[in-house]
Structure formats: C-alpha cells, structure tokens
Amino acid sequence: MIIVLKNKASKDSIDRFVNDMTLKGLNVHLSEGSEHTIIGLIGDTTAINADDLQSIEIVESVKRISEPFKQANRKMHPDDSLIKAGNITVGEGFFNVIAGPCSVESEEQIIEIAGDVKKSGASMLRGGAFKPRTSPYAFQGLHDEGIKLLIKAKKATGLPIVTEIMNLNHIDLFTDVDLIQVGARNMQNFDLLKELGKCDKPVLLKRGLANTIEEWLMSAEYIMAGGNHNIILCERGIRTFETMTRNTLDISAVPVLKSKTHLPVIIDPSHATGNSAMVAPLSKASVAAGADGLMIEVHNNPSKALCDGAQSLNPAQFESLMGEIKKRAEFENKII
Ligand code: PEP
Ligand code: MN
C-alpha cells in the first residue's frame, strides 16, 4: 500500500504516522522523492482501511499496489535508484560498462585483461571464479583462488570487481568483492536470495533462462525483503524456439523494467547471443533502449578461453566497441 503525503506534512507528524503503522505490525518504507514523500506499507495490509488513512491530515492519497512486487515497484519509489558498487554509480544518468573474461584463468590472464579493459574505458572488471557449467566435465573455475586473483587485479588497476556466487555458504569469500552476481541459473535460489538480503553488498541479479519479468522482479523482492535494496538487474537473454543465437535478447525488458521498477538495468549481450560478432550491434541497441550499462565478455585470446570463447571479444574489438558506445551514451546524455 502506498501513501503519498502532502508536501506540507511536518517531520513530527510523519514520525507519528510511521510509528502508528509500525505498531500495527507493518514494515514502513519512507521514500523522500523529488516531488513527494511516499510511505510504503509492506506486510499484511488487508486489515487497513484506505478511507481511514485518507482522512488523516497529512495524507494526500492512498493506493494499493496490485503487483506482487512491492519494494521493487516504481510506485513505491518513483525516483530511479542509484546503486553504488565500489567507486562507481549505476543507474539513470550513468552508463557503466563491466568487462572481463568469462572465467578467471590465471594471475597473468586476469591482470593483463583488467589493464586492457580499463584502458578502453570499462568501469568494472568481471570474471567468474565459481562457474555454473552445463557439463560437470567442463572447467568449473578456480573458486576461492579465482576470487584472490580478482582482488589482485582490482589492486593493480583500481577497477571494482564483480563475480558470481553459487552457494550461500560461500558468502564470506565475497567480502572484498564489490558487486555479487547471481547468475541466471540461481535467479530462483530463494535461500541464496534471502542470504543476500541480509548483507549490504550490491547484487547483480541476472534474469533466469526462462523466467518472466515478474518472476525476476519477485527475486529482487526476496533480496529487498531482507533489507538489501542494492540491486542491479541484468537481462542476459532468454530461451525461445530460436536456435541461431544462444538465447534471445529481450531488449524490450529494458523499457518494461524502466516503467515497473526503480532498479537499474544493464544488458549482457555476450551470453544473450553466444557469438562475438553480435555483441557490438546489441550493445548499441542497449544504449538506445535506455539500459544503464552493459556487461561484456572480453578475453586476452578468445580462441584459447577455458569458457565462452566464441562470445568473447578480444581487447582490440572491445576498444573499438567502447568508442561506439561512448558516442551513443553521450548522445543519450549519460555520464560514461
Ligand atoms: C556469467 O556471467 O558468467 C554467466 C554464467 O552468466 P549467466 O548466468 O547469465 O549464464
Ligand atoms: Mn560466460
């Protein structure tokens, strides 16, 4: 339930109102937006009478949120959320490019590629340490050693780092990671989402392989329900009947999300297509569609990559694409 307050509502009267609602057993979410102060009531509001609330002096209007996602809902928080991850800000008005290999393979590999993507203008380094592979015989990642190498690359370049968590018992290994990725396969691992809700680290929540936008937002809601509001959504392609691309990039998810939620949204064109030749056109389309950034796989030598070489750009291709992205982001008045 959303209560829009009158602009002249005093701090004391707002505090009293919040206190009354808390005593009724509800969680109260206060959002001081650019236009209005909005109070979101979260919990079982069935016993609350909207007409009674409407008659309170400081209340301008009362609305029920019909969608099942509440805290992620733009109605609850009309202004865009800006999420801090390390030294970068992700959200409306900014355009961030996260780049790096699918997997961390060795110290030399990750330090070298980190330097390359930084030089081309990436603002964050990616690299998988725990890899969710379809085959148990495929490279599974370097695990905690991989995270240590990412931290070395962060020290060497100053780039904040993002890497994927697969197991909630590993959370302590992620203390020095700036953005924790929940991969497509774990989007509905609710125990993992609840655990991430308890920490204050930003989370990059990728869309599941065959999940609707509403299911995806409900996964964000799981994290927010625990108190962690630092979430960035990442569209990475969904399963369709099409076989010529690895997945089908749902570019329309960007404007849909922009209308439904205040959370930032970025695009991963690498996993969406599985083909390095399609990364550039879809990256450009992502800027035009209003995304807040990109996550692109870049490998020192894609033909030798231990994972996802076919979709990885080499450093020269990434350098050239960044030139194109910068022009387009500036055209959209975004800080890149
Ligand atoms: C990844 O980013 O390394 C990854 C495995 O992506 P996804 O979960 O989208 O498949
Ligand atoms: Mn990959």
Side-chain angles (χ1 to χ4, degrees):
M1 190 174 238
I2 299 169
I3 297 141
V4 180
L5 299 184
K6 289 186 180 148
N7 283 339
K8 58 179 191 319
S10 70
K11 167 137 186 10
D12 274 2
S13 52
I14 297 176
D15 287 349
R16 263 197 309 277
F17 183 76
V18 168
N19 197 31
D20 282 356
M21 293 299 128
T22 311
L23 289 175
K24 288 190 197 303
L26 296 166
N27 274 328
V28 181
H29 181 261
L30 190 72
S31 161
E32 287 174 36
S34 48
E35 306 219 342
H36 286 289
T37 297
I38 289 177
I39 289 184
L41 299 182
I42 298 136
D44 183 5
T45 56
T46 42
I48 305 271
N49 184 321
D51 290 339
D52 289 350
L53 292 183
Q54 184 72 69
S55 64
I56 298 172
E57 206 193 329
I58 59 169
V59 172
E60 168 96 34
S61 63
V62 179
K63 275 183 274 179
R64 286 199 187 268
I65 298 184
S66 51
E67 293 96 342
F69 51 93
K70 312 289 180 191
Q71 305 197 53
N73 204 307
R74 190 178 274 285
K75 291 176 190 154
M76 184 79 88
H77 189 289
D79 290 347
D80 294 289
S81 282
L82 294 177
I83 308 298
K84 285 251 176 233
N87 57 7
I88 67 167
T89 304
V90 182
E92 198 58 46
F94 297 88
F95 198 87
N96 283 283
V97 180
I98 302 170
C102 182
S103 309
V104 180
E105 297 172 5
S106 69
E107 179 165 344
E108 307 75 70
Q109 174 242 13
I110 194 69
I111 303 257
E112 181 186 271
I113 199 71
D116 287 344
V117 298
K118 181 179 179 177
K119 189 165 55 65
S120 301
S123 55
M124 186 176 261
L125 175 67
R126 66 149 286 145
F130 294 92
K131 292 303 307 173
R133 304 302 302 277
T134 303
S135 166
Y137 309 115
F139 177 59
Q140 303 286 309
L142 298 179
H143 296 177
D144 29 347
E145 185 55 27
I147 296 190
K148 286 189 196 136
L149 298 180
L150 274 173
I151 294 168
K152 281 193 180 174
K154 168 175 160 172
K155 290 206 175 108
T157 58
L159 285 180
I161 51 177
V162 54
T163 193
E164 176 167 351
I165 191 165
M166 285 172 55
N167 184 325
L168 59 91
N169 298 317
H170 289 160
I171 210 151
D172 290 344
L173 297 173
F174 288 70
T175 309
D176 295 320
V177 169
D178 299 284
L179 177 62
I180 303 181
Q181 175 171 323
V182 174
R185 289 152 193 84
N186 273 308
M187 189 204 86
Q188 286 190 316
N189 180 341
F190 298 116
D191 283 341
L192 178 60
L193 301 177
K194 283 183 197 163
E195 200 59 31
L196 292 167
K198 292 187 210 148
C199 68
D200 60 0
K201 282 257 177 229
V203 176
L204 181 69
L205 180 62
K206 294 188 107 182
R207 182 176 184 177
L209 305 176
N211 285 108
T212 63
I213 294 176
E214 185 169 292
E215 287 164 343
W216 187 11
L217 287 171
M218 289 311 290
S219 292
E221 191 77 15
Y222 257 93
I223 302 172
M224 298 177 96
N228 186 355
H229 288 222
N230 300 313
I231 302 168
I232 301 163
L233 301 165
C234 178
E235 161 63 39
R236 45 78 71 207
I238 47 172
R239 280 277 165 87
T240 66
F241 49 79
E242 184 53 68
T243 54
M244 291 213 183
T245 48
R246 183 175 176 182
N247 293 289
T248 298
L249 179 62
D250 181 9
I251 199 88
S252 61
V254 176
V256 171
L257 287 168
K258 287 281 169 188
S259 74
K260 299 281 176 200
T261 182
H262 50 91
L263 298 171
V265 52
I266 70 166
I267 296 271
D268 170 350
S270 309
H271 290 91
T273 58
N275 179 343
S276 61
M278 295 182 196
V279 169
L282 292 179
S283 297
K284 295 176 200 168
S286 303
V287 186
D292 300 306
L294 288 160
M295 180 151 93
I296 299 176
E297 285 190 342
V298 187
H299 192 277
N300 323 52
N301 182 354
S303 63
K304 294 269 169 14
L306 296 183
C307 183
D308 284 350
Q311 67 195 33
S312 300
L313 301 185
N314 65 35
Q317 290 167 326
F318 180 66
E319 165 82 13
S320 141
L321 174 57
M322 278 305 288
E324 298 294 326
I325 292 171
K326 276 182 199 150
K327 280 191 277 188
R328 285 163 175 80
E330 279 157 15
F331 177 77
E332 300 284 343
N333 283 326
K334 305 216 171 175
I335 299 168
I336 177 165

